[in-house]
Every structure is written in C-alpha cells, then in structure tokens.
Amino acid sequence: MNKKIWVLVLFLFFLVIIDNQEVSAASEYNGYSEVMLQEGKLLANFTDSEYEEYYEEVEKTKFWGWNVYLVCDNTPLTYIARTAYETINMGEEEITYEVDVTCEEESRTVLDASGSIGYDLSGKTKTFKHDLDAKISLGYKHEETESIKKTEKLKIPVEGKTKLLVTIVGEGVVTNGVACYYMFWLQNMKGGFEYFTITNEYQKIEKVPYE
C-alpha cells in the first residue's frame, strides 16, 4: 500500500474517532409538568431493554449512511408546561385578580439526543449531523423558528371561597427513534434522536371551590 493510501486511511480513521463522541442533551420540555402522547413515549423514557430491542433494527452494517428505526412518527401530543399563577380567594366577596401570563406565539422545534448522535451547528438552525433530518424526511426542519414569547395581562374575577389556577398548556407532535451511522462499514454514531415540535401553546384557566 503506497503512502497516499495510508494517509487517506489514517485520515478516515481519525474522522470516525473524532465524530463518535457521546453527547448529552437536556431538552427544555423535559422540565414540563406532564407530556401526554397518543401512542409511544418520549426519548427520555426509553428503557435499556427498549434500546436493545430498537438497536436490533439498525445495526445491520452498511458501507455508508444511516440506518433508522422510528418509534414515534409525527405523533400528536398535549402537554402541561407549568403553573403560571395560583391563588385562593378566602373571603366571601368576589375579587378580580390581574395576572401576567407568558405563552409561545409561534411554533418551534426542540431537539434531543442520546448516545453518540451529534449536532450540526453550522447553519441558522440546529440539526443532527450527517443529514439525519433528510433521512427521516422531516419536512418541518427548515421551518424551525426562534421561540417568540408574548405576555398577556388578564383580569380574572374569582368568587369567594374559590381557588384560581392558571396553567400553560399546549399541543404538538413528536418524532423519535434510534439510528446508526456507518462510514466504510464502521459504526460512527449510534443513539436515540427526537424532534419535539410545539404547534400551539395557551393558558388554561380553572376555578374550583375551596373548602
């Protein structure tokens, strides 16, 4: 083997080693009070045994590129983000409360990952390395927007002996699963991925009797 070929082999070897680093992503929706999916589960809730089962679907060696297995494919979801305001009118007379509530004004996409699947931060939006987005055919990738928030001032009348609870809730879709990336028949990346897209967020106002 001549010198040029050896140099090329060494370069590709180090490229695989450098790219294959463990990543840890803490997605902002992991702090939500509750996320309810119509089916499947979030990446953060995958068990070790489920990972083993899913990896069996993607570990078939190939010369180059991704093997992907989807667990959720644009699965609808609802969520409770947080409690924005809570109070109790202990008296007998009605009281009007002024509440400042902040909600999302536009849709946005949040990424999460596990294992050694990495991010590409070279463009305006954060995507996964090696065009994993294209492999999964995610059409909304290029429509990702910055989080734009809007604060509303609400005047809410609360009857006596009543508890007022304002929560931030929303709707969206999730796509997740596991994937392996190969370069020259060598496994370069392996792990879970997730796209959590928020499509609508609003405030939910509840008034319940308080004893």
Side-chain angles (χ1 to χ4, degrees):
M1 185 179 293
N2 62 41
K3 185 177 180 179
K4 288 184 178 180
I5 295 178
W6 269 113
V7 171
L8 178 60
V9 170
L10 287 173
F11 171 76
L12 292 172
F13 174 77
F14 283 114
L15 178 63
V16 170
I17 295 299
I18 291 172
D19 220 17
N20 191 17
Q21 301 294 321
E22 291 289 320
V23 299
S24 178
S27 293
E28 46 197 288
Y29 59 84
N30 286 342
Y32 285 177
S33 299
E34 191 173 1
V35 179
M36 295 76 70
L37 280 70
Q38 287 190 2
E39 58 183 353
K41 60 173 60 177
L42 295 178
L43 183 68
N45 298 325
F46 286 7
T47 65
D48 291 341
S49 60
E50 286 171 334
Y51 267 115
E52 291 177 8
E53 175 187 346
Y54 301 152
Y55 281 148
E56 291 179 359
E57 304 290 335
V58 298
E59 289 189 318
K60 183 178 180 180
T61 303
K62 64 191 302 183
F63 174 67
W64 197 288
W66 288 104
N67 287 334
V68 173
Y69 177 74
L70 292 178
V71 177
C72 293
D73 186 4
N74 277 329
T75 299
L77 60 88
T78 57
Y79 64 87
I80 302 172
R82 60 187 171 84
T83 300
Y85 187 82
E86 183 176 359
T87 191
I88 301 171
N89 180 359
M90 301 291 291
E92 300 292 339
E93 302 297 323
E94 180 181 288
I95 298 176
T96 298
Y97 293 90
E98 280 198 1
V99 183
D100 290 332
V101 179
T102 300
C103 296
E104 296 294 331
E105 192 174 42
E106 294 187 10
S107 65
R108 59 193 173 95
T109 298
V110 182
L111 306 187
D112 195 7
S114 65
S116 56
I117 291 181
Y119 297 111
D120 184 356
L121 303 176
S122 58
K124 292 183 178 180
T125 59
K126 184 166 76 170
T127 61
F128 291 116
K129 286 186 176 180
H130 301 308
D131 292 326
L132 175 59
D133 317 73
K135 176 67 177 180
I136 307 169
S137 300
L138 289 173
Y140 53 77
K141 164 188 156 186
H142 301 292
E143 299 172 9
E144 180 179 333
T145 64
E146 293 293 327
S147 173
I148 300 176
K149 295 185 177 182
K150 179 175 63 176
T151 299
E152 293 185 36
K153 188 176 293 289
L154 305 176
K155 290 186 177 182
I156 307 173
V158 180
E159 297 76 15
K161 304 298 183 183
T162 299
K163 179 179 180 179
L164 169 66
L165 184 64
V166 182
T167 53
I168 304 301
V169 300
E171 302 167 347
V173 294
V174 64
T175 293
N176 62 26
V178 299
C180 283
Y181 188 77
Y182 290 89
M183 298 174 66
F184 296 100
W185 296 286
L186 296 176
Q187 191 180 102
N188 176 245
M189 289 183 180
K190 174 184 171 182
F193 63 89
E194 184 164 80
Y195 298 80
F196 186 106
T197 300
I198 298 167
T199 57
N200 188 25
E201 190 171 280
Y202 51 94
Q203 63 267 19
K204 180 180 179 182
I205 300 172
E206 297 177 278
K207 292 188 286 185
V208 296
Y210 182 79
E211 300 296 335

